[in-house]
Amino acid sequence: MKHENLKQLLADAHQQLAGTEKVDDELKALLENLNQDIHHVLSSDQAHDVSVFDTLSERSLALSAKFAAEHPKLEPVLRELGSMLAKIGV
């Protein structure tokens, strides 16, 4: 269930990103890398490694801070994603 919620939040983040007129290429690449890493972890043996989710959570929260000023609608999705990633390992 948690993994499905996580996938839905990723889809929400991409939808918000698609609806944003101007996105910095670097931030777009960082979000895409995070997305790929999360999907890789969910489909591998690492899906039970708490430290992997903690690292992904930190990356998501760092992205939310970068997006906060320029893309306030995307920032809450990334923050929620970071919180969910942190809770998965618990």
Side-chain angles (χ1 to χ4, degrees):
M1 180 71 167
K2 289 181 184 180
H3 292 182
E4 291 305 315
N5 291 342
L6 184 58
K7 289 177 183 178
Q8 181 58 50
L9 273 176
L10 285 170
D12 290 349
H14 281 284
Q15 185 176 23
Q16 288 287 341
L17 184 63
T20 303
E21 290 181 22
K22 191 175 181 183
V23 177
D24 180 285
D25 288 339
E26 178 189 4
L27 291 175
K28 190 174 182 179
L30 290 170
L31 182 58
E32 183 57 37
N33 288 339
L34 178 64
N35 179 47
Q36 290 174 1
D37 291 347
I38 290 171
H39 281 287
H40 174 74
V41 167
L42 292 177
S43 65
S44 73
D45 292 337
Q46 295 176 323
H48 301 290
D49 187 347
V50 174
S51 65
V52 171
F53 285 105
D54 286 342
T55 301
L56 291 171
S57 173
E58 289 172 14
R59 285 175 53 197
S60 180
L61 293 173
L63 277 176
S64 75
K66 287 184 178 188
F67 273 99
E70 293 181 37
H71 308 289
K73 291 182 180 179
L74 184 57
E75 186 269 338
V77 175
L78 291 169
R79 192 171 4 97
E80 186 176 350
L81 178 64
S83 296
M84 182 173 285
L85 285 164
K87 291 176 186 174
I88 283 180
V90 176

